[in-house]
């Protein structure tokens, strides 16, 4: 067994994400068995403070990043040396942190899971959200024709990101493109993903990535897992459409090198300003608890959380 080395890192930036809401509600498979108290913090950009025994490939002061799922809303933490990505000098650390979960998810959805081709017609649900915005920005770079479903008030943002807005409160997205979409990305799971599947053209692909509609409806993990399992049965329906669930953690476990490669590619795009991630708000460590509470309270119909 190779020995794992753990440098200590000073945390420079760590996000508060929608995914923290799922973790706090025990609706996140990777953490659902963990009992509080534990430290949240899905991602980290930090500076190596101490190397630890046997760490050879890094120096004190190197800027690094990792997706830790939990534990990075902290001043210092240890990280596994074999999982670190390098952060180029000069990047804004908060912008760099946005790339770790939301933008790597979007990049892998487009280029690893769906393997999109220039000119394809693609629908993004939750288009004004963190992953949605990243999908539109990276989809535009990939030469896709994009539609973004969001509340009407986000229409200008969706247009700015190069997509046609669909106001999901007024328009039926299954009727927007009569021939159907090549690919639909769905992090909501309204109607157990059925309408997203219906919106595909023959041979199209539905990539489900989340279940926030199920969370709002206060469903438990079991019915949500059944929605996901059912996706894989739909391939047997006539029409040649396919559906699958993408998980950044599952893909990282299967292809650890892809994660580092894709994240470092995104850091490169950020360095040249080819992408411009929006940081919703910059807060200090002292404001974290309040930010977590606000993020959770913003979720419609939220039950008590730990
Ligand atoms: N599978 C993975 O590896 C992976 C990785 C990262 C994230 N995710 C998932 O991806 C999804 C999006 O994450 P995020 O970080 O982008 O979240 P986010 O920033 O909170 O954005 C989600 C967007 O969804 C929209 N929305 C919420 N409820 C809706 C509903 N009932 N009907 C229509 N639109 C609704 C909201 O837009 P409006 O204001 O327009 O309603 C919001 O902007 C989540 O389900 C998350 O769990 C999955």
């Amino acid at each position: 067994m190779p020995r794992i080395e753990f440098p200590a890192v000073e945390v420079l930036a760590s996000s508060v994400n929608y995914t923290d809401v799922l973790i706090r509600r025990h609706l996140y498979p990777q953490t659902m068995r963990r009992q509080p108290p534990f430290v949240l913090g899905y991602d980290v950009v930090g500076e190596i403070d101490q190397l630890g025994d046997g760490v050879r490939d890094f120096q004190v002061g190197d800027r690094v990043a990792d997706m830790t799922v939990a534990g990075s809303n902290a001043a210092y933490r240890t990280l596994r040396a074999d999982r670190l990505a390098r952060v180029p000098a000069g990047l804004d650390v908060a912008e760099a942190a946005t790339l770790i979960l939301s933008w790597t998810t979007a990049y892998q959805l487009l280029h690893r899971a769906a393997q999109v081709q220039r000119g394809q017609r693609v629908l993004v649900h939750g288009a004004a959200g963190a992953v949605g915005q990243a999908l539109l920005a990276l989809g535009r770079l990939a030469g896709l024709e994009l539609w973004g479903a969001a509340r009407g008030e986000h229409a200008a943002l969706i247009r700015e990101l190069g997509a046609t807005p669909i106001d999901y409160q007024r328009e039926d997205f299954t009727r927007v493109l009569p021939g159907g979409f090549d690919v639909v990305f769905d992090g909501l799971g309204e109607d157990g993903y059925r309408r997203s599947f219906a919106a595909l053209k023959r041979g199209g692909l539905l990539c489900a990535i989340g279940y926030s509609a199920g969370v709002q409806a206060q469903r438990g993990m079991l019915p949500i897992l059944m929605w996901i399992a059912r996706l894989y049965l739909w391939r047997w329906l006539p029409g040649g459409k396919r559906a699958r669930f993408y998980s950044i953690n599952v893909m990282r476990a299967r292809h650890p090198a892809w994660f580092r490669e894709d994240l470092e590619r995104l850091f490169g795009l950020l360095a040249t300003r080819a992408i411009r991630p929006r940081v919703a708000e910059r807060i200090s460590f002292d404001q974290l608890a309040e930010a977590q509470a606000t993020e959770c309270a913003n979720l419609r119909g939220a039950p008590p959380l730990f």
Side-chain angles (χ1 to χ4, degrees), residues 19 23 28-31 42 67-70 83 101 105 108 245-256 259:
T19 307
I23 293 173
Y28 200 64
Q30 284 77 13
T31 53
Y42 206 98
M67 186 179 76
T68 54
V69 180
R83 291 169 66 95
L101 173 60
T105 294
Q108 294 201 326
F245 193 88
Y246 162 89
S247 153
I248 194 168
N249 289 293
V250 171
M251 189 164 275
R252 188 180 194 183
R254 286 197 190 138
H255 304 285
F259 180 83

Side-chain angles (χ1 to χ4, degrees), residues 109-214:
L109 279 168
L110 292 166
H111 298 292
R112 304 289 189 187
Q115 299 185 354
V116 292
Q117 306 293 322
R118 183 167 284 278
Q120 281 190 320
R121 295 169 156 192
V122 174
L123 170 63
V124 174
H125 287 290
V131 176
Q133 289 187 41
L135 276 167
L136 295 186
L138 294 172
R140 188 188 208 175
L141 288 182
L144 305 179
E145 194 177 347
L146 295 156
W147 282 259
R151 266 184 291 154
E153 68 198 64
H154 300 307
L157 169 66
I158 309 293
R159 269 197 211 94
E160 195 186 310
L161 290 165
T164 303
I166 300 174
D167 178 348
Y168 67 81
Q169 291 173 317
R170 291 167 185 274
E171 291 174 79
D172 177 354
F173 66 83
T174 63
R175 290 170 182 266
V176 165
L177 198 59
F181 295 97
D182 292 287
V183 183
V184 176
F185 295 113
D186 187 348
L188 302 170
E190 291 276 12
D191 196 25
Y193 308 106
R194 282 192 188 87
R195 291 175 67 235
S196 286
F197 194 69
L200 293 172
K201 73 174 202 186
R202 282 184 79 82
L205 173 68
L206 164 62
C207 280
I209 64 161
Y211 35 83
S212 43

Side-chain angles (χ1 to χ4, degrees), residues 9-41:
V9 166
E10 181 185 2
V11 176
L12 302 176
S14 175
S15 310
V16 175
N17 285 300
Y18 172 76
T19 307
D20 296 329
V21 175
L22 305 182
I23 293 173
R24 291 183 61 176
R25 209 167 283 172
H26 301 290
L27 288 173
Y28 200 64
Q30 284 77 13
T31 53
M32 61 190 290
R33 291 215 177 76
R34 289 181 79 159
Q35 290 302 317
F38 62 88
V39 176
L40 288 162

